[in-house]
Amino acid sequence: MVFAVYFALFGIPEVVDSVWWQIGIIVGLVAGMAAKAGSVSDSRFHETMIGQTQREDAGTPVIEVSDNFTVFPVGVNVGGRPVIFSVLVRGKEDGSQAVGFETWLIPYDAVVQALKLEVTPLSDGQLDVRSPGLITRLNPQELRNDPELGLVLSIEEVEGLLGVPAEFDINEYAIILNPPWLGQKTGGIAGTETPVQLEGLPRITPNDVTLTAIEERITATGSESASGLGEASSLSYRGELAAVGTLRSGSWYVRVNQPDVLDSPSWSLTEAQYLRQTDGADYVVGSQPTFWRSQGRGDYWGVTTIQRQGFTPPVTFGGGGFSPGQRLQASQVGRTIVGEAEPGTLVRLTQGFSDRVLAEVLVDSSGVYRFEDVPIGGQRLGNYRVLLYPQGRLSAQPDVREATFSTVPGQIPDRAAATIVSVGFSHQPPGLNRQNFVGQWQDFQGGIAQRWGVSEDLTIGVGGIYDQTARGLADVFFRPKGIPLEVAASVLSPDQQGDWDSNANLRYEPTSTISLQFNRDRLSQRLNLNWRIFPRLTILGTYNSREGTAVGMQTGFSRRGFFTFARATLDDQNRWRWNATQRLGFLQLNHQGNELGFRSDLNYNLSRRFLGDGYSVLLSYETRNLQQGDTFATIGWRYRSKVRSLDGSYLWDTQVGYGVGSQGSGWIAQVQTTVIPGFLVRGRYDGVSLTSNEANYSLELVASLNVQEGVSGGDRQSDRFRDRGGVLIQPFFDRNNNGKLDSGEDIYTENPELLLILNNQPIQSFRPQVQGDRIVLRLPPGTYRLDFDPSGFPLDWQTVNQAYAVQVVAGSYTIVQVPLVLSYTLSGVVTDAQGNVVAGARIEAISADGEQRRFSVTNGAGVYYLEQLPQGIFTLQINQEPAQPGTITLDEDAEPFQELNLRSP
């Protein structure tokens, strides 16, 4: 009856638009219908949680079931957002509104889940229930037990005990909960994310061997003398070829240097690397940097492994391959925050100026509070606040204490360890003598080192290396408690000439306005002092063992439409060095200079855009004082398109101007375009320059192609595949129901932000790129959960699987082809042999092979609702007995939504 009224009022299209609600109802029925069978298990769960041993029939009162109320599925909304698509409740509705809503019964677990309550068993048997705006206690023995729903709360109890207003929306067919604290945050340490469940999901793995991307860069340059086109002209073609892919859960990368693109014997192998990185270990073969400061000539090629215990390295984003220093440090280091307070004080930990509570503790009789393993490093900047509420009263004004920490690059957590072992040879590239394509391997090199986290403040390392001679290695990374000092130092014992090789970085910040930094390496020693005497004025002092001392000042401030930054220094040889940037509205001035000369650039955006795109007028003036006083002034016009390509380059970037200087005058022009996917073309012509009257010109072509699942334009960032992978998603209309993407089947890439959910997060947070027939994401290696939200399904279509577990490895995209099949919905009224409606009947549709099952439970009006039915022949049953009619055939000619009344035998 309720569905008939709904159809009459709103029409069938409205129902179809809310199909995602009804999708969840069917899924929820499975768990709900098993509630009775699982009531003993439910009871044991609560006994464990509460810490009691009484049996269900002895400790939990069983309510009497009202004859007027039935069990049926509804959704649960919190505010305006659905949080539970379907849950069984006990109640009644008359097709337009709820009947006796305050006495409806809703499962206790559903209330906890929907409101995200934190329930903790206490030693006295009570339950401590918390939310951002609620702290209360419940007696589990007072919870009632419904014979079909398990432990339940009435709507009246939800409103009275928890203070949460509730209502029933007949159109949404959902219970609407409106907690007063909606929008506030709570929870433990913010770094603890909701676990991603992968068990039981279909797994998609990448190919063992792939060629993912190819990138070719060619630059043609030439020049002409001022006396004529045919005199002293030259032209050269240089290039670089790179390729990347996957090999057995790791990435491979090859780069070839092409000094003369047209002369293949001049080409040489610059890099060839296999890299496999995990949280616990790294393996790299081929060209790579050493973990020590090598004294040898040429490159290092070898085999290296890093084994880590007790920590994970930071996630890399910029590509570039293997970096041993970065892989030997921790992404985060746990710190301990401890203090004293009066017993009974509620102490909360927050980060920065956020109101989000990361953790809290109630001070006991010892008068000491402690927060263990507070993450520092990575995205944690180390600026925490401790809020102390006297006597636990959240309404009181808290006492605020600051807790600021930092980590030293190279530091690892307490009791963590790392070992690195590397052996190989120095490599000399062919050069101009064209020895061979791969060059020559010469001197043996290698080493082994161990690093330990001695405490949360101190990390040390020792080892030995062989690089022309045997040498010892020692590292120390120190950040003492209570002292604003950071120390990172390493030393190599003397070489054959008796020279020590030490490298040190020290940072000392005695106050929030003064910082002192000292750096030392084998080339120089440097000391930098920054003293912020006013909020927008800083005094600078520097010392360099090779250049002497210098003092200076720095200022910077901004307002709406206004920005200023300036820095100037003067050294002990009376050499000035300065740079300044000034922006006022759409006018910007940049000025920088030193003892050799200066340059000024004035830019006015005619399109009145702050981001630099649109039309602009350019003025510049430059001087150089090497052998003679050279000057050069230009005036020009520039256009930059608002649209950009995948790598951030402008789709169009053109500039035309005229220059006049001490060397002469001439035209200057530049054009760059990425309008062809995967290609960047850049050309430049300088008729004259600051130091030469020769005309110079260049043409650069960058071709980047992705060759997985066909050839498509790349983003000219294939280097990032060396330590990252990705997912290539292709939802397609599987019209022949074979589960494969066949020729002629269309790919659906509309609304990926509605369709896709990755690791319980909106897909937009991973910056997806829609590239024609695919949706791609760049991701660090790991296993991800990919869900499909019904709100993003094309009308009358659905996915075969609701989620996948997708493995990502470095070097390639994991291909995820998602078949979309036609979705059918059946609805109608169930009657008995006398024509009376049947409430509470189980209606089930079973496919011919028995693998597909959908079921529904009729409401008080005898209405059932079966949805997400794929194509096929289905047997219809009522309470496991054949229905009349007993079968239905759903094919491509069938209507997506059908009304079918059933009669029980």
Side-chain angles (χ1 to χ4, degrees):
M1 179 64 182
V2 61
F3 284 98
V5 173
Y6 187 91
F7 297 162
L9 292 176
F10 301 99
I12 292 178
E14 292 282 339
V15 178
V16 175
D17 285 343
S18 62
V19 67
W20 57 275
W21 256 118
Q22 298 143 2
I23 290 173
I25 291 177
I26 303 300
V27 176
L29 278 170
V30 176
M33 293 300 292
K36 185 173 182 179
S39 61
V40 176
S41 299
D42 242 358
S43 177
R44 289 175 180 172
F45 167 78
H46 287 288
E47 289 172 0
T48 302
M49 179 184 69
I50 299 168
Q52 298 179 350
T53 59
Q54 65 266 34
R55 299 181 58 85
E56 175 188 334
D57 54 0
T60 305
V62 179
I63 64 173
E64 295 183 2
V65 178
S66 172
D67 293 336
N68 296 325
F69 281 6
T70 60
V71 173
F72 57 94
V74 299
V76 179
N77 284 14
V78 174
R81 184 174 64 90
V83 293
I84 300 178
F85 288 116
S86 177
V87 64
L88 291 177
V89 300
R90 186 177 294 279
K92 183 180 180 181
E93 48 86 9
D94 60 8
S96 60
Q97 62 182 359
V99 177
F101 181 61
E102 67 279 0
T103 59
W104 279 29
L105 300 178
I106 182 171
Y108 163 80
D109 287 341
V111 176
V112 172
Q113 176 186 350
L115 297 178
K116 296 182 178 180
L117 302 177
E118 295 182 0
V119 181
T120 305
L122 303 177
S123 57
D124 60 359
Q126 300 285 307
L127 296 178
D128 182 79
V129 181
R130 292 181 177 233
S131 72
L134 170 71
I135 299 179
T136 188
R137 292 188 177 186
L138 295 178
N139 184 351
Q141 296 185 9
E142 295 179 358
L143 295 177
R144 294 175 293 171
N145 186 55
D146 184 277
E148 294 185 59
L149 305 180
L151 296 178
V152 293
L153 291 171
S154 68
I155 297 299
E156 183 179 14
E157 290 170 332
V158 171
E159 295 180 334
L161 296 178
L162 304 181
V164 178
E167 58 181 316
F168 180 70
D169 189 322
I170 191 68
N171 295 327
E172 291 284 345
Y173 214 73
I175 295 175
I176 312 297
L177 302 177
N178 296 296
W181 61 83
L182 192 64
Q184 299 182 23
K185 301 287 187 179
T186 187
I189 294 295
T192 303
E193 299 178 352
T194 303
V196 177
Q197 300 295 332
L198 300 172
E199 295 183 4
L201 296 180
R203 299 186 70 87
I204 298 179
T205 58
N207 296 327
D208 287 339
V209 182
T210 68
L211 170 60
T212 302
I214 301 174
E215 193 168 296
E216 173 71 48
R217 183 182 300 267
I218 300 176
T219 304
T221 59
S223 62
E224 299 173 355
S225 67
S227 58
L229 292 175
E231 295 185 21
S233 62
S234 62
L235 189 64
S236 64
Y237 298 91
R238 297 187 59 88
E240 186 177 83
L241 175 65
V244 66
T246 291
L247 176 63
R248 301 292 298 177
S249 301
S251 70
W252 62 266
Y253 179 80
V254 174
R255 183 165 60 92
V256 177
N257 183 32
Q258 301 166 314
D260 187 347
V261 175
L262 304 178
D263 182 20
S264 58
S266 69
W267 300 2
S268 62
L269 183 64
T270 305
E271 282 189 81
Q273 183 185 92
Y274 171 77
L275 177 62
R276 183 168 184 259
Q277 296 182 151
T278 66
D279 287 344
D282 297 338
Y283 304 92
V284 58
V285 180
S287 56
Q288 57 188 281
T290 60
F291 69 84
W292 68 94
R293 291 175 301 281
S294 176
Q295 303 295 319
R297 296 180 301 171
D299 305 323
Y300 174 69
W301 291 52
V303 179
T304 300
T305 181
I306 298 178
Q307 303 292 321
R308 288 177 290 270
Q309 300 87 37
F311 73 97
T312 57
V315 176
T316 57
F317 295 96
F322 179 63
S323 175
Q326 190 176 52
R327 303 297 292 179
L328 283 169
Q329 71 183 46
S331 60
Q332 293 183 347
V333 176
R335 292 274 185 173
T336 300
I337 297 178
V338 64
E340 296 182 349
E342 290 292 328
T345 301
L346 179 66
V347 183
R348 285 184 163 181
L349 179 67
T350 65
Q351 186 172 24
F353 294 99
S354 170
D355 293 329
R356 183 178 183 183
V357 179
L358 306 178
E360 68 178 19
V361 63
L362 193 64
V363 180
D364 58 19
S365 58
S366 67
V368 176
Y369 63 85
R370 181 185 300 270
F371 299 102
E372 301 279 0
D373 293 326
V374 178
I376 309 295
Q379 297 181 349
R380 303 288 180 181
L381 300 181
N383 300 318
Y384 290 90
R385 292 192 306 162
V386 178
L387 310 180
L388 294 88
Y389 295 87
Q391 299 178 0
R393 298 195 305 269
L394 295 176
S395 58
Q397 184 69 25
D399 179 23
V400 180
R401 300 179 184 178
E402 301 293 333
T404 303
F405 301 95
S406 63
T407 60
V408 182
Q411 192 174 2
I412 61 177
D414 182 21
R415 295 184 295 276
T419 305
I420 183 169
V421 180
S422 182
V423 293
F425 295 88
S426 62
H427 174 260
Q428 195 69 28
L432 298 178
N433 55 10
R434 302 188 183 184
Q435 299 162 334
N436 53 57
F437 176 72
V438 298
Q440 289 185 340
W441 286 272
Q442 298 175 337
D443 301 326
F444 171 79
Q445 295 176 315
I448 181 172
Q450 179 79 20
R451 188 173 292 183
W452 297 274
V454 178
S455 68
E456 66 179 28
D457 305 316
L458 177 64
T459 299
I460 62 172
V462 296
I465 62 103
Y466 185 88
D467 188 352
Q468 300 181 5
T469 185
R471 308 179 70 180
L473 171 67
D475 299 312
V476 60
F477 308 93
F478 185 46
R479 178 62 162 88
K481 291 181 180 178
I483 303 176
L485 175 67
E486 299 176 9
V487 179
S490 63
V491 61
L492 280 171
S493 62
D495 57 15
Q496 292 174 331
Q497 288 73 38
D499 296 329
W500 291 78
D501 187 357
S502 61
N503 189 297
N505 295 279
L506 286 80
R507 183 178 181 87
Y508 179 62
E509 295 185 358
T511 70
S512 60
T513 59
I514 298 177
S515 68
L516 186 67
Q517 186 165 346
F518 173 78
N519 305 96
R520 173 192 173 91
D521 55 32
R522 56 189 175 128
L523 300 178
S524 65
Q525 301 176 34
R526 301 167 300 281
L527 181 66
N528 294 281
L529 170 66
N530 290 350
W531 180 18
R532 192 174 73 249
I533 57 176
F534 296 110
R536 296 182 178 87
L537 182 62
T538 301
I539 299 296
L540 308 174
T542 65
Y543 166 77
N544 189 307
S545 60
R546 302 183 66 177
E547 297 185 2
T549 59
V551 295
M553 301 179 67
Q554 176 178 299
T555 184
F557 52 93
S558 62
R559 292 289 186 271
R560 180 178 178 86
F562 177 81
F563 171 79
T564 292
F565 172 82
R567 177 188 175 100
T569 62
L570 175 66
D571 65 16
D572 53 7
Q573 299 182 36
N574 292 323
R575 295 179 299 189
W576 282 97
R577 297 175 181 177
W578 68 91
N579 64 81
T581 298
Q582 172 74 59
R583 188 178 70 200
L584 178 61
F586 305 102
L587 181 68
Q588 181 168 316
L589 172 66
N590 297 316
H591 185 71
Q592 58 183 353
N594 54 34
E595 66 277 7
L596 302 179
F598 70 86
R599 178 182 176 91
S600 297
D601 295 287
L602 185 66
N603 176 357
Y604 181 73
N605 192 291
L606 300 172
S607 302
R608 305 180 67 82
R609 296 175 183 169
F610 289 110
L611 298 179
D613 53 22
Y615 299 95
S616 299
V617 174
L618 310 174
L619 295 173
S620 69
Y621 183 74
E622 187 176 3
T623 68
R624 185 71 56 84
N625 302 316
L626 288 177
Q627 298 178 350
Q628 57 183 3
D630 291 320
T631 61
F632 191 59
T634 62
I635 182 171
W637 168 90
R638 184 182 69 197
Y639 169 74
R640 287 175 172 171
S641 62
K642 187 174 183 179
V643 179
R644 302 196 185 199
S645 59
L646 296 177
D647 65 345
S649 301
Y650 293 102
L651 206 63
W652 286 98
D653 187 348
T654 60
Q655 181 176 332
V656 177
Y658 194 81
V660 179
S662 56
Q663 299 294 330
S665 61
W667 288 97
I668 298 173
Q670 176 179 301
V671 60
Q672 173 184 302
T673 180
T674 58
V675 68
I676 302 175
F679 288 84
L680 180 146
V681 180
R682 181 188 296 119
R684 183 175 179 88
Y685 174 81
D686 292 319
V688 68
S689 66
L690 174 65
T691 58
S692 174
N693 62 355
E694 287 188 342
N696 297 278
Y697 49 87
S698 65
L699 178 64
E700 183 179 6
L701 171 66
V702 182
S704 178
L705 300 176
N706 292 333
V707 293
Q708 277 191 280
E709 290 300 300
V711 179
S712 63
D715 57 5
R716 293 172 294 281
Q717 296 176 341
S718 59
D719 180 72
R720 299 189 178 185
F721 272 116
R722 300 174 70 171
D723 48 28
R724 295 173 71 80
V727 178
L728 190 156
I729 307 170
Q730 291 181 310
F732 66 95
F733 295 102
D734 188 17
R735 299 187 183 278
N736 58 7
N737 285 320
N738 66 352
K740 299 178 181 180
L741 177 57
D742 299 318
S743 176
E745 291 183 331
D746 297 328
I747 294 177
Y748 180 77
T749 58
E750 298 180 16
N751 303 318
E753 69 280 0
L754 297 178
L755 177 63
L756 304 175
I757 300 172
L758 191 69
N759 276 8
N760 304 329
Q761 300 294 325
I763 199 70
Q764 288 299 100
S765 61
F766 298 90
R767 298 183 179 180
Q769 299 174 357
V770 179
Q771 302 177 5
D773 64 346
R774 61 197 64 193
I775 305 166
V776 298
L777 300 91
R778 289 278 180 87
L779 300 168
T783 302
Y784 297 82
R785 179 187 175 105
L786 179 64
D787 287 271
F788 306 104
D789 191 333
S791 63
F793 289 172
L795 185 63
D796 300 330
W797 293 82
Q798 65 182 9
T799 57
V800 176
N801 296 296
Q802 296 300 316
Y804 292 107
V806 183
Q807 181 185 359
V808 174
V809 298
S812 65
Y813 291 114
T814 301
I815 310 300
V816 182
Q817 294 183 339
V818 185
L820 297 169
V821 297
L822 285 169
S823 176
Y824 300 90
T825 300
L826 297 179
S827 181
V829 178
V830 177
T831 58
D832 58 18
Q834 288 73 39
N836 301 316
V837 297
V838 180
R842 177 188 173 97
I843 313 304
E844 190 167 14
I846 307 172
S847 63
D849 57 9
E851 294 184 359
Q852 298 286 340
R853 289 175 176 264
R854 301 289 188 271
F855 73 90
S856 173
V857 176
T858 59
N859 63 9
V863 177
Y864 74 94
Y865 203 82
L866 292 171
E867 61 181 356
Q868 288 189 322
L869 292 167
Q871 289 184 3
I873 301 174
F874 288 85
T875 300
L876 301 177
Q877 294 182 351
I878 302 176
N879 294 330
Q880 299 182 345
E881 297 292 335
Q884 296 178 3
T887 61
I888 187 172
T889 300
L890 302 174
D891 54 29
E892 58 185 14
D893 296 326
E895 291 295 328
F897 184 88
Q898 299 185 33
E899 292 188 45
L900 181 65
N901 295 328
L902 301 178
R903 176 175 296 180
S904 62

